[in-house]
Amino acid sequence: MLTLIAILTTILYFTAATLQMLHLTKNLQAQTKKIIVISLVAIVLHAFLLYRWIDVSTGQNLTFFNTLSQVCWLATVIVWLMAIKRPLVNLGIVLYPLAGISIVLVLIFSGSHIVNTKTDPKTLLHILLSFLAMSILIIAAVQSVFLAFLNRALRKKYANLLTQSLPPLQMMESLLFQLITLGFFILTAVIVSGFSFFLGIFHGSLWHHMVFAIIAWFIFGILIIGRIFFGWRGRIAIRWTLIGVVLLLIAYLTSQFWLN
């Protein structure tokens, strides 16, 4: 039964992404309500799947692909909610398929890595903050890709219906830095909580994880300072956002390597 729900959820995610692409490239305004409803159903079904996959009787099953799917789900939820008032709905073109792929990966690579967070609330807080920070900064990375696409089109004076459907460049840059700032503060909380978490329990075995996370933290911090005092934008913002997110992904991968 769970497999059928997973397949249906994946189909719904890809359907929502396809409709969103058609909405942009062919200006099909009538598709908007369908996109909202279909993506919402996919998000709800995905939440149910994660509940069944992760919350087991002995604790939380935090395998690599379970946590990856959790992060992708959280990113889609944030985008769906923020799109109510901000022009972020276009990010679903990338995030919805990623969420669908994450579900397929869980089905293919099922496993078990139980973490009992009931006995250690600090661990649960650290994990939840990590998921939230990663989700927000992944959204920022996708936003920077769209920004790079629009920036390149404007420089080459190449415009089509897709570029015309995207929000103005200045607005996209403003949203990017809002996401980076929010992600930076949450990442700060992750690093602070992480010191007591991995030093107390793993005795330094996760130092690779913390080193990459701290470097990413410095990059996002410097990027925010550069934006405020030097007006950094365009290629600088795009390049360093992507570098910071890649470093966070490396930190995540190294932590999963040592924990599994």
Side-chain angles (χ1 to χ4, degrees):
M1 185 64 179
L2 283 181
T3 302
L4 292 177
I5 295 175
I7 294 172
L8 174 61
T9 306
T10 302
I11 293 172
L12 289 174
Y13 270 132
F14 276 92
T15 301
T18 302
L19 290 175
Q20 184 59 47
M21 178 61 77
L22 292 174
H23 172 74
L24 287 177
T25 57
K26 297 186 179 181
N27 199 24
L28 299 179
Q29 299 294 335
Q31 304 289 355
T32 304
K33 291 183 179 179
K34 291 182 181 179
I35 296 168
I36 293 173
V37 173
I38 292 173
S39 58
L40 179 59
V41 173
I43 288 170
V44 172
L45 291 176
H46 194 174
F48 172 74
L49 289 170
L50 290 170
Y51 169 72
R52 293 296 301 273
W53 287 335
I54 295 177
D55 194 22
V56 296
S57 58
T58 54
Q60 284 69 47
N61 186 16
L62 298 179
T63 65
F64 173 80
F65 291 107
N66 278 356
T67 53
L68 177 64
S69 190
Q70 176 78 56
V71 168
C72 290
W73 173 80
L74 191 54
T76 61
V77 171
I78 294 170
V79 166
W80 195 92
L81 292 174
M82 292 183 69
I84 296 174
K85 291 187 177 182
R86 298 175 182 274
L88 286 172
V89 69
N90 299 329
L91 301 185
I93 295 174
V94 177
L95 291 175
Y96 292 155
L98 285 178
I101 291 171
S102 75
I103 292 173
V104 174
L105 290 174
V106 173
L107 292 178
I108 297 173
F109 302 102
S110 60
S112 178
H113 175 69
I114 305 300
V115 177
N116 190 356
T117 58
K118 292 181 180 179
T119 60
D120 190 358
K122 291 182 180 180
T123 302
L124 177 61
L125 177 62
H126 177 77
I127 292 172
L128 292 176
L129 287 173
S130 299
F131 285 168
L132 185 58
M134 180 62 75
S135 300
I136 292 173
L137 291 170
I138 283 177
I139 295 171
V142 176
Q143 174 78 347
S144 68
V145 171
F146 274 92
L147 184 59
F149 173 75
L150 183 59
N151 199 23
R152 179 181 177 83
L154 292 176
R155 286 202 319 270
K156 294 183 174 294
K157 297 181 180 180
Y158 172 75
N160 55 22
L161 189 57
L162 178 58
T163 57
Q164 293 171 4
S165 301
L166 292 172
L169 183 64
Q170 186 175 1
M171 181 181 294
M172 291 183 68
E173 286 183 341
S174 177
L175 287 171
L176 174 62
F177 277 94
Q178 288 175 25
L179 290 166
I180 292 172
T181 303
L182 178 59
F184 172 78
F185 284 112
I186 299 175
L187 183 59
T188 302
V190 171
I191 291 173
V192 171
S193 64
F195 272 110
S196 60
F197 173 67
F198 87 93
L199 286 177
I201 298 176
F202 297 102
H203 304 291
S205 64
L206 292 181
W207 67 270
H208 308 81
H209 162 71
M210 292 302 294
V211 167
F212 283 113
I214 291 172
I215 294 174
W217 180 82
F218 270 109
I219 287 176
F220 290 123
I222 292 171
L223 190 55
I224 292 170
I225 293 172
R227 171 71 171 186
I228 295 172
F229 293 100
F230 305 106
W232 287 358
R233 57 193 295 272
R235 291 183 179 180
I236 294 177
I238 295 166
R239 183 183 302 114
W240 289 106
T241 298
L242 293 175
I243 290 174
V245 172
V246 168
L247 287 171
L248 273 184
L249 289 173
I250 293 174
Y252 172 72
L253 289 172
T254 55
S255 67
Q256 288 294 318
F257 173 78
W258 286 105
L259 289 175
N260 287 284

